Amino acid sequence: MKNTIKILIAFVSLLLLSCTDESQQLGAISPDTSFRLLAPTSDFSLVLDGAKLNSLATTFVWNDPSNPTGTTVTYTVEAAATGTNFAAPITLGTTTDHFLDVTEGTLDTTAKALGLAPLVAGQIDVHVKTSTGVTNFYTITVTPYQPKWSVIGDATPGTAWTTDTYMTFNPSTSTYSITLPLTVGSFKFRLDSSWNTNYGDDGNNLSLDAGGANIPIATAGTYTIVANFATHTYTITPVVNIWSIIGDAPASPSVAWTTDNLMDFNPVTNKYSIVIHLLAGKSFKFRLNHDWGTNYGDDGNNLTLDNGGANIPVVNDGNYYIVADFTGLTYTITQL
């Protein structure tokens, strides 16, 4: 019996010793006491949606062991252009919590203010700071949205006051434009196919008024409409000579060598322009009034227009800004 007790005591002693060693090892692991951004991390990527600008894009979460209750310190969540070391940050929001919800609208506005182009994935750096410290940062990927403005009304193509005819955004001028046939009637501008944001013209004086009066069209014809929704102005110009881009280079919904992509007319410069997506390895030409009777290509591929000339090749796929002078017979093509 004594031997059995001795063996039991020895076993318990070993067990206690083992537990003590384990406790010492666990005690050697130091807790994370750093002020640290936990989410979103650098694998975050989001394509922003104009229909969801009030929706949650992401929640910023951080750890601050020096302020565990999260009620006595003001935290500022900042974003900056990648690689600038937060030299010129933009505030996404402030809070006394250890988290901050950020909407798609806030992220979109911030990304654009930091130089990210709409519809193009870009990166921004984000971190959290207080009056006494700053967290680590992550680089997140964001694709800003491009507002879709359209003209709509009984003067526009399609079903009256139901069908949106979308305008094209020109990043070179920050304007939206469209050249299209209009009938006698009226139209308005609206955003993202919704009446929540729409513009008319109360004084019929080429200034845009929120929810304003319908814009009248007294004479049917083809018009170039250019709108600047930042300055709330627009122009509407009758087009007599209708020039277009045609070929297999224009992307969908064009039908190769059949669909005319109408160019905008500028009465000040007497030039025509268009922003259009072109496909690599394809080509295009210019033609007048939907007819091959007068058309221009470029025999030397040297930015001069030749009557009936060779198809103009497109090397790289992408969006292009094309300006043509059919008086001086020259053109420019700039990839955006």
Side-chain angles (χ1 to χ4, degrees):
M1 176 65 71
K2 291 182 179 179
N3 290 335
T4 302
I5 294 174
K6 288 180 180 179
I7 293 173
L8 181 60
I9 292 173
F11 174 76
V12 172
S13 298
L14 289 173
L15 182 61
L16 291 174
L17 180 60
S18 175
C19 291
T20 302
D21 290 343
E22 185 176 350
S23 298
Q24 290 174 346
Q25 290 172 5
L26 289 175
I29 300 175
S30 300
D32 185 359
T33 59
S34 62
F35 178 30
R36 187 166 187 80
L37 176 62
L38 303 177
T41 59
S42 293
D43 60 358
F44 176 87
S45 181
L46 182 64
V47 178
L48 299 170
D49 186 343
K52 299 179 180 179
L53 295 183
N54 293 322
S55 300
L56 178 66
T58 188
T59 298
F60 285 77
V61 181
W62 54 92
N63 179 52
D64 187 4
S66 66
N67 178 40
T69 60
T71 59
T72 60
V73 175
T74 297
Y75 299 95
T76 302
V77 179
E78 293 184 331
T82 299
T84 62
N85 198 28
F86 292 87
I90 293 177
T91 298
L92 287 167
T94 60
T95 182
T96 55
D97 293 317
H98 285 170
F99 66 92
L100 178 74
D101 291 335
V102 175
T103 64
E104 292 203 20
T106 297
L107 199 54
D108 180 73
T109 301
T110 301
K112 289 173 180 173
L114 292 174
L116 271 63
L119 305 180
V120 179
Q123 295 182 322
I124 59 176
D125 292 340
V126 293
H127 71 186
V128 183
K129 66 180 294 186
T130 67
S131 60
T132 59
V134 61
T135 67
N136 57 304
F137 75 90
Y138 286 114
T139 300
I140 64 175
T141 301
V142 176
T143 303
Y145 110 102
Q146 179 63 62
K148 295 173 64 177
W149 284 97
S150 63
V151 291
I152 188 171
D154 54 12
T156 65
T159 304
W161 300 105
T162 301
T163 303
D164 289 278
T165 304
Y166 292 102
M167 307 177 76
T168 300
F169 179 69
N170 186 340
S172 300
T173 59
S174 296
T175 58
Y176 287 79
S177 66
I178 189 172
T179 295
L180 77 170
L182 297 175
T183 59
V184 175
S186 61
F187 73 94
K188 298 184 76 172
F189 301 92
R190 73 175 183 174
L191 175 65
D192 293 333
S193 303
S194 169
W195 288 109
N196 291 339
T197 302
N198 74 87
Y199 287 101
D201 185 353
D202 289 332
N204 196 22
N205 57 1
L206 301 179
S207 64
L208 294 173
D209 302 294
N214 298 347
I215 301 169
I217 298 297
T219 304
T222 298
Y223 292 83
T224 290
I225 302 173
V226 181
N228 188 322
F229 296 104
T231 61
H232 299 121
T233 58
Y234 72 100
T235 60
I236 178 167
T237 305
V239 182
V240 177
N241 296 313
I242 304 168
W243 284 97
S244 63
I245 296 286
I246 191 169
D248 57 4
S252 177
S254 293
V255 178
W257 299 106
T258 301
T259 302
D260 287 286
N261 300 275
L262 303 188
M263 304 182 73
D264 300 330
F265 175 61
N266 186 328
V268 176
T269 63
N270 202 36
K271 296 178 181 180
Y272 290 75
S273 64
I274 189 172
V275 174
I276 190 170
H277 188 90
L278 299 177
L279 303 175
K282 307 295 184 178
S283 60
F284 69 93
K285 298 185 75 172
F286 302 91
R287 75 172 181 176
L288 177 65
N289 294 331
H290 307 281
D291 187 81
W292 288 108
T294 301
N295 75 87
Y296 286 101
D298 185 353
D299 288 333
N301 197 22
N302 57 0
L303 301 179
T304 60
L305 296 171
D306 301 295
N307 189 18
N311 298 348
I312 301 171
V314 177
V315 176
N316 298 312
D317 187 283
N319 291 322
Y320 289 84
Y321 180 40
I322 301 173
V323 180
D325 180 354
F326 295 107
T327 301
L329 298 180
T330 59
Y331 70 100
T332 59
I333 178 168
T334 305
Q335 186 166 7
L336 299 175

